[in-house]
């Protein structure tokens, strides 16, 4: 394993509530990513970070925000959860921008 | 919109056969290419990376890249039931990875 943990691993929440997912790494990698995975869509990038306080949007960033105040932690926040955000969320890390990404175990989120 | 296309499958092969998985991508500027394996309910794990045209072999796995045709493939020799999984193709363009939706492989004993 690449030293990546995600919390919580499972969460059930209600529409309209805020939700924060945490990704923690012990590898001191510069790049961190949040993806969502849905049937038929593969992995889609939500946001990524290329350093502390340096973040950028991915292809499905609407409704999500991120923060990275420390190298080891990357937080994904759903400001007001909707049923369309029910998904499996994966965090990934990489040493460099074109280098291999290693994935965390995932968080299953159900928005009722 | 950058696209990575894979046949969703399922691809069924008998144990011991060669499994051939294919992927095409739309962006000619893509720099690096990856194959991941994902078991049901688990996270993707890296099998192979390839950066230049040609073949790259690692054990039973061979990745093939043809940038002119925008095509990358993965061959699995002597397929085993434990190879049954979904295989994701990923293409890197600058800071971002783009993933195909995956090909499900079934290896029948």
């Amino acid at each position: 394993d690449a030293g990546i943990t995600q919390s919580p691993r499972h969460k059930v929440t209600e529409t309209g509530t805020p939700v924060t997912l945490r990704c923690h790494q012990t590898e001191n990698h510069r790049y961190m990513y949040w993806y969502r995975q849905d049937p038929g869509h593969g992995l889609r990038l939500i946001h990524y970070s290329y350093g502390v306080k340096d973040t950028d949007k991915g292809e499905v960033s609407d409704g999500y925000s991120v923060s990275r105040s420390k190298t080891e932690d990357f937080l994904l926040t759903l400001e007001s959860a909707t049923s369309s955000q029910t998904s499996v969320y994966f965090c990934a890390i990489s040493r460099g921008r074109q280098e291999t990404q290693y994935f965390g175990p995932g968080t299953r989120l159900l928005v009722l | 919109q950058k696209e990575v296309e894979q046949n969703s499958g399922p691809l069924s092969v008998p144990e011991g056969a060669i499994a051939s998985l294919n992927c095409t991508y739309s962006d000619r500027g893509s720099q690096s290419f990856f194959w991941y394996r994902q078991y049901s309910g688990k996270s993707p794990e890296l099998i192979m990376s390839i950066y230049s045209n040609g073949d790259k072999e690692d054990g039973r796995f061979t990745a093939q890249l043809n940038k002119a045709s925008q095509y990358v493939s993965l061959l699995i020799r002597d397929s085993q039931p434990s190879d049954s999984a979904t295989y994701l193709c990923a293409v890197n363009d600058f800071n971002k990875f783009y993933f195909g939706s995956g090909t499900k492989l079934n290896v029948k004993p």
Side-chain angles (χ1 to χ4, degrees):
Chain A
D1 290 346
I4 312 169
T5 57
Q6 293 183 231
S7 59
R9 294 293 312 281
H10 302 271
K11 187 169 181 66
V12 180
T13 192
E14 293 186 350
T15 298
T17 60
V19 176
T20 295
L21 308 183
R22 179 181 183 238
C23 177
H24 178 80
Q25 60 149 329
T26 59
E27 305 296 317
N28 201 36
H29 283 3
R30 179 181 175 189
Y31 287 79
M32 299 185 74
Y33 307 80
W34 277 108
Y35 291 91
R36 60 178 289 174
Q37 187 174 38
D38 305 288
H41 288 280
L43 285 157
R44 292 182 292 175
L45 182 65
I46 304 171
H47 282 279
Y48 69 98
S49 170
Y50 48 96
V52 174
K53 298 187 179 179
D54 292 323
T55 65
D56 202 355
K57 296 179 179 180
E59 60 181 312
V60 290
S61 59
D62 287 348
Y64 301 95
S65 62
V66 291
S67 65
R68 191 172 179 194
S69 58
K70 299 184 290 185
T71 298
E72 58 266 34
D73 289 327
F74 192 33
L75 303 181
L76 176 70
T77 297
L78 290 64
E79 303 290 348
S80 177
T82 68
S83 58
S84 64
Q85 293 176 313
T86 292
S87 188
V88 180
Y89 291 85
F90 287 103
C91 173
I93 65 173
S94 69
R95 186 175 291 108
R97 62 181 176 85
Q98 292 189 13
E99 297 192 33
T100 300
Q101 291 190 3
Y102 298 95
F103 286 83
T107 295
R108 292 185 177 273
L109 176 66
L110 174 61
V111 183
L112 299 175
Chain B
Q1 179 72 17
K2 302 182 194 295
E3 295 183 349
V4 179
E5 299 287 342
Q6 295 182 256
N7 188 319
S8 61
L11 173 66
S12 292
V13 299
E15 184 175 355
I18 296 175
S20 178
L21 305 166
N22 304 314
C23 172
T24 60
Y25 58 95
S26 63
D27 186 2
R28 287 190 173 275
S30 300
Q31 299 293 316
S32 49
F33 308 85
F34 304 83
W35 282 100
Y36 287 83
R37 176 176 62 198
Q38 186 175 25
Y39 293 111
S40 180
K42 302 296 185 182
S43 58
E45 55 180 339
L46 179 74
I47 298 175
M48 298 276 289
S49 60
I50 186 166
Y51 298 87
S52 55
N53 280 329
D55 295 358
K56 179 181 178 182
E57 185 175 321
D58 184 1
R60 296 186 296 112
F61 299 95
T62 299
Q64 300 174 318
L65 175 61
N66 184 326
K67 290 185 178 181
S69 300
Q70 297 174 239
Y71 176 91
V72 58
S73 65
L74 179 70
L75 300 177
I76 306 174
R77 290 181 299 280
D78 189 23
S79 295
Q80 301 297 309
S82 59
D83 294 326
S84 297
T86 297
Y87 289 80
L88 305 175
C89 173
V91 174
N92 178 274
D93 177 33
F94 198 64
N95 283 341
K96 301 176 184 178
F97 275 44
Y98 296 90
F99 286 82
S101 57
T103 297
K104 187 171 184 179
L105 174 66
N106 291 329
V107 181
K108 298 181 178 181

